[in-house]
Amino acid sequence: MSETASSPRFHWFLPPRGDAMAPGPFAREHESIPESGLVDFLTEVALAAEQGGFDGALTPVGINCPDPWVLCSAIAARTEHLSFIVALRPSLQSATLVAQQADTFRRLHDGRVILNVVTGGDPAEQAGYGVHVPHDERYDITEEALQAIRPLLAGERVDLEGRHLHLVGARLVEPGSSRVPLFFGGASPKAVEVAAAQADTYLLWGEPLADIAERIETVRTAAAAAGRELDYGLRLHVISRDSAEEAWQVAADIQSGFDAESVAAVQRHKASMDSVGQARMGALHGTEIPEDVADLVVGPNLWAGIGLMREGVGTALVGSHEEVADRLAEYADLGISEFILSSYPHREEALRVGHEVISRVRERVDAAAPA
């Protein structure tokens, strides 16, 4: 491992529409919300993540999801130390209001907030929110918003006149002092440009090691040109068991539950998106269900089958606890310092992955670091 390796941070995923044993259509996921309600259930997932040793938890933003600010604040009030990676889309609301929301959250919940900046990769969904701008222009809006949000959270007054944003005398009243990190993802050249200038941590979806190394180098070069250094994070599913055979059987069982009609519907939807990252995921898994789970292995222990039935990250590390830890440590060696993991079902797997994988990765990374 590299001499700059340091112990990574681990985060889990809060499924905002309920949970399931495998990825699938909205209706299947919705079945597993208990009678106690969504907030109670997601609190159980968050508490399992805390018990498993995770540092934080991510919940997404989207037209089919509950509002992440309201949801995360409700769950944060029931947890102790877990940070919440709250997804937001700058094209949908005032930059000043976003800063107010983030500041309120950090003051209510002891600074346990991270902003996950999402530009949006689905034109149809954006239209449902009333946003009708092309891909690169969404990133222009995002950049201007971050030019305001960052200094506002630092307690500064902001006057900004941009193409999309005009602020006069924007400020927060008695803002909190804890830092609010900015996570940012996007695979297009425009996304890299904005991330290099504004992000604290650049997020990637799980791809083979060589591809991740190449992308990190691209972003690192762009950030250096902007006089900045970024951290790097990886969003990835995991299927980790006591033995590799058991883990791959779980993956095979998941794949056996896919049906051609549902896969075709998911792939048609993803083909209509203008997300470069989504296109990269699609290139790994194709559009049809293979006969053998091994046909979608795209790297050591890296399986692309999840993407057949799910948008967003579509890859999973599959193997024994030792193998999964080895692979995560290899990503850490490339410069990944933040891992956002998930598995089905999320409540039970938070404990398994937390207890069996996290400590192993940290041991590997710490052992490789200089004394």
Side-chain angles (χ1 to χ4, degrees):
M1 293 185 180
S2 65
E3 294 184 352
T4 59
S6 60
S7 189
R9 287 167 49 85
F10 288 88
H11 312 280
W12 196 242
F13 182 76
L14 300 179
R17 298 176 298 189
D19 209 350
M21 294 300 295
F26 173 76
R28 183 193 298 177
E29 292 181 341
H30 206 63
E31 289 174 357
S32 64
I33 299 177
E35 292 182 1
S36 57
L38 180 61
V39 171
D40 286 347
F41 172 68
L42 290 180
T43 298
E44 293 176 8
V45 178
L47 290 172
E50 280 195 331
Q51 186 179 346
F54 287 92
D55 300 290
L58 167 74
T59 194
V61 62
I63 205 160
N64 291 322
C65 300
D67 178 78
W69 284 111
V70 177
L71 193 63
C72 288
S73 187
I75 300 168
R78 303 180 180 193
T79 55
E80 295 183 6
H81 61 77
L82 202 69
S83 293
F84 289 83
I85 307 171
V86 182
L88 64 99
R89 293 189 183 177
S91 62
L92 304 184
Q93 63 191 115
S94 158
T96 307
L97 178 59
V98 170
Q100 285 181 310
Q101 290 171 313
D103 181 54
T104 303
F105 197 110
R106 71 176 167 184
R107 287 190 286 146
L108 287 176
H109 304 300
D110 301 318
R112 294 184 290 140
V113 61
I114 297 167
L115 299 185
N116 180 29
V117 182
V118 180
T119 58
D122 184 350
E125 182 183 52
Q126 292 288 107
Y129 280 116
V131 177
H132 305 271
V133 295
H135 177 276
D136 283 6
E137 190 171 350
R138 291 200 299 272
Y139 280 100
D140 290 335
I141 294 171
T142 295
E143 182 166 28
E144 289 186 13
L146 295 180
Q147 288 171 353
I149 292 169
R150 291 177 64 92
L152 284 169
L153 288 171
E156 301 175 20
R157 169 186 163 126
V158 173
D159 296 287
L160 188 153
E161 185 169 0
R163 179 184 173 193
H164 302 279
L165 186 62
H166 184 196
L167 298 180
V168 179
R171 64 187 180 90
L172 301 178
V173 178
E174 298 181 356
S177 59
S178 60
R179 178 172 171 265
V180 180
L182 293 178
F183 285 12
F184 187 101
S188 69
K190 187 65 177 180
V192 170
E193 176 187 324
V194 177
Q198 298 295 334
D200 296 314
T201 297
Y202 180 75
L203 289 182
L204 306 101
W205 287 336
E207 297 182 26
L209 280 168
D211 295 333
I212 293 295
E214 181 180 357
R215 291 186 60 198
I216 287 177
E217 185 57 32
T218 296
V219 178
R220 185 174 284 142
T221 300
R228 305 184 70 239
E229 293 184 2
L230 307 186
D231 292 327
Y232 298 89
L234 189 68
R235 174 78 179 95
L236 192 63
H237 305 287
V238 292
I239 300 174
S240 185
R241 294 294 187 271
D242 292 338
S243 70
E245 293 77 15
E246 184 182 358
W248 282 109
Q249 185 59 54
V250 172
D253 291 343
I254 289 174
Q255 183 170 298
S256 69
F258 297 169
D259 65 275
E261 183 178 352
S262 296
V263 167
V266 171
Q267 299 312 309
R268 284 195 300 271
H269 170 67
K270 293 199 292 187
S272 70
M273 301 170 69
D274 60 5
S275 164
V276 175
Q278 193 65 77
R280 292 179 69 96
M281 285 287 101
L284 294 176
H285 58 65
T287 60
E288 296 183 358
I289 307 170
E291 293 184 3
D292 193 315
V293 68
D295 293 337
L296 288 179
V297 174
V298 296
N301 298 99
L302 188 63
W303 180 57
I306 299 290
L308 288 173
M309 289 289 282
R310 185 192 192 280
E311 65 180 77
V313 60
T315 49
L317 286 178
V318 182
S320 68
H321 306 310
E322 296 289 342
E323 289 174 332
V324 171
D326 284 342
R327 301 293 84 76
L328 290 172
E330 289 168 356
Y331 283 114
D333 188 42
L334 296 180
I336 299 295
S337 59
E338 307 274 356
F339 290 96
I340 304 175
L341 306 178
S342 58
S343 192
Y344 301 90
H346 291 78
R347 176 176 51 188
E348 292 78 1
E349 290 300 314
L351 292 171
R352 187 200 307 271
V353 175
H355 291 157
E356 299 291 352
V357 176
I358 287 180
S359 61
R360 284 179 165 93
V361 179
R362 287 178 171 151
E363 287 172 0
R364 286 156 169 75
V365 173
D366 291 345

